[in-house]
DNA sequence: TTATATTAGGATAAAAGAGTCCAAATAATC
DNA sequence: GATTATTTGGACTCTTTTATCCTAATATAA
């Protein structure tokens, strides 16, 4: 798998948050219900995102989490880096230790191209962009149901 | 990680085999030494490749494994499919169950492009091609040492 | 001030991936 | 026929990832 499960959940949750009114705190419980992710697990993941400054959290009634920056300023790569780290950008195809351009393996050239494509995609896609697309085309963030089900309260 | 460790080891071993005289059986022990991979682990992996018809094995003294087809006919994708299965081609970015074009998530379009690039790379690269490149430029298949160390007996 | 809703954080459990070990089967050589 | 070199296959262990649970801290509201 390209991204860990934690990372995927983090992305889904971030998209959910980006679809909400800016500044509003959303309880994790609500998100885990809507997104069909284990509440406790999602909590752990969002704690990471909070620790990394991507989310902001607030305790107590009316508490929850929200994006720390507008969704237009959050790239998918930000989430991926916060959860999976640089692995995706550094590790690669033949996974030899201490890799890079200096001492490449035979796959390096081809792999580097592919990896750059992945990187570019993650860096050039913002949360808001996907939310707008999802809303316009009623795409899904869960197993069943379209984007719209996320907005029923 | 894009490819499992088993898969990476399988690729490295297949490249090794493709660099050898066609038809020659190579003992797994020799490969595991050269490639610095645990003998027992590599054995398990190569058993999978043998079961999938990518390699052929022969027991006893002078035994070992060899490619079942010429290296020019073996794509990287063949190895990846044999070890990691279709996961890479079917699963994806947001990893929603039962995914596909019918009921996509907001990332689908962008992801599909990226995934196709990965797929194309793996499908259009043959073992022989990489071996020739590795030989010509003395690239490496192990932590230290160039391609050439693989050929000392 | 008490009850309630929430995140934070630690401990633990279950599942998957990676790696090791051993006995059995097979083939060549002595 | 006995010994040796090799693959096969199963059982097992270790590590990492995924998931669950419980308690504490914090903020609101009654
Ligand atoms: S040389 Fe390049 S492709 Fe090969 S393992 Fe290193 S970074 Fe990856
Ligand atoms: S819709 Fe496409 S990108 Fe999204 S999870 Fe499914 S296959 Fe992957």
């Amino acid at each position: 798998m390209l991204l860990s499960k934690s990372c995927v959940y983090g992305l889904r949750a971030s998209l959910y948050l980006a679809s909400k009114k800016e500044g509003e705190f959303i309880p994790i419980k609500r998100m885990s219900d809507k997104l069909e992710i284990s509440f406790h697990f999602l909590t752990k993941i969002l704690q990471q995102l909070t620790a990394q400054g991507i989310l902001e959290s607030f305790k107590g009634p009316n508490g929850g989490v929200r994006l720390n920056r507008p969704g237009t300023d959050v790239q998918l790569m930000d989430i991926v880096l916060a959860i999976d780290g640089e692995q995706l950008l550094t590790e690669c195809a033949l996974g030899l230790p201490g890799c890079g351009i200096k001492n490449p393996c035979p796959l390096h050239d081809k792999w580097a191209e592919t990896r750059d494509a992945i990187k570019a995609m993650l860096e050039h896609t913002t949360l808001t962009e996907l939310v707008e697309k999802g809303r316009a085309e009623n795409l899904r963030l869960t197993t069943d149901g379209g984007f719209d089900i996320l907005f029923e309260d």
Side-chain angles (χ1 to χ4, degrees), chain A:
Chain A
M1 251 198 311
L2 188 70
L3 305 175
S4 72
K5 224 161 178 192
S6 296
C7 188
V8 166
Y9 291 164
L11 281 171
R12 303 233 306 264
S14 299
L15 286 172
Y16 184 92
L17 289 174
S19 78
K20 292 297 180 185
K21 199 162 37 174
E22 200 176 323
E24 190 184 4
F25 282 106
I26 310 286
I28 299 177
K29 185 73 175 66
R30 179 125 59 90
M31 276 195 272
S32 68
D33 285 349
K34 292 281 185 190
L35 296 174
E36 298 165 348
I37 299 173
S38 142
F39 166 71
H40 292 289
F41 194 34
L42 184 58
T43 294
K44 286 262 174 294
I45 294 162
L46 298 190
Q47 272 172 23
Q48 292 182 68
L49 291 180
T50 303
Q52 303 276 330
I54 292 177
L55 302 183
E56 213 175 347
S57 69
F58 194 77
K59 287 175 186 172
N62 311 321
V65 296
R66 68 180 179 196
L67 290 176
N68 205 9
R69 284 174 284 162
T72 46
D73 285 9
V74 183
Q75 271 74 41
L76 300 189
M77 185 57 92
D78 297 331
I79 317 282
V80 172
L81 283 176
I83 297 178
D84 280 351
E86 295 194 310
Q87 225 191 359
L88 190 64
L89 308 181
T90 60
E91 274 199 14
C92 61
L94 292 195
L96 299 171
C99 247
I101 297 171
K102 281 187 222 161
N103 194 10
C105 74
L107 240 189
H108 185 81
D109 293 351
K110 292 203 169 201
W111 170 249
E113 264 185 55
T114 308
R115 189 174 57 179
D116 286 350
I118 297 172
K119 196 177 156 209
M121 190 268 275
L122 293 172
E123 275 174 349
H124 297 143
T125 308
T126 65
L127 295 182
T128 302
E129 181 183 341
L130 290 186
V131 165
E132 278 166 6
K133 184 181 169 73
R135 193 174 271 146
E137 306 176 25
N138 192 28
L139 305 174
R140 67 179 184 152
L141 273 183
T142 64
T143 302
D144 321 297
F147 209 81
D148 49 5
I149 72 163
L150 301 182
F151 302 105
E152 303 155 6
D153 247 1

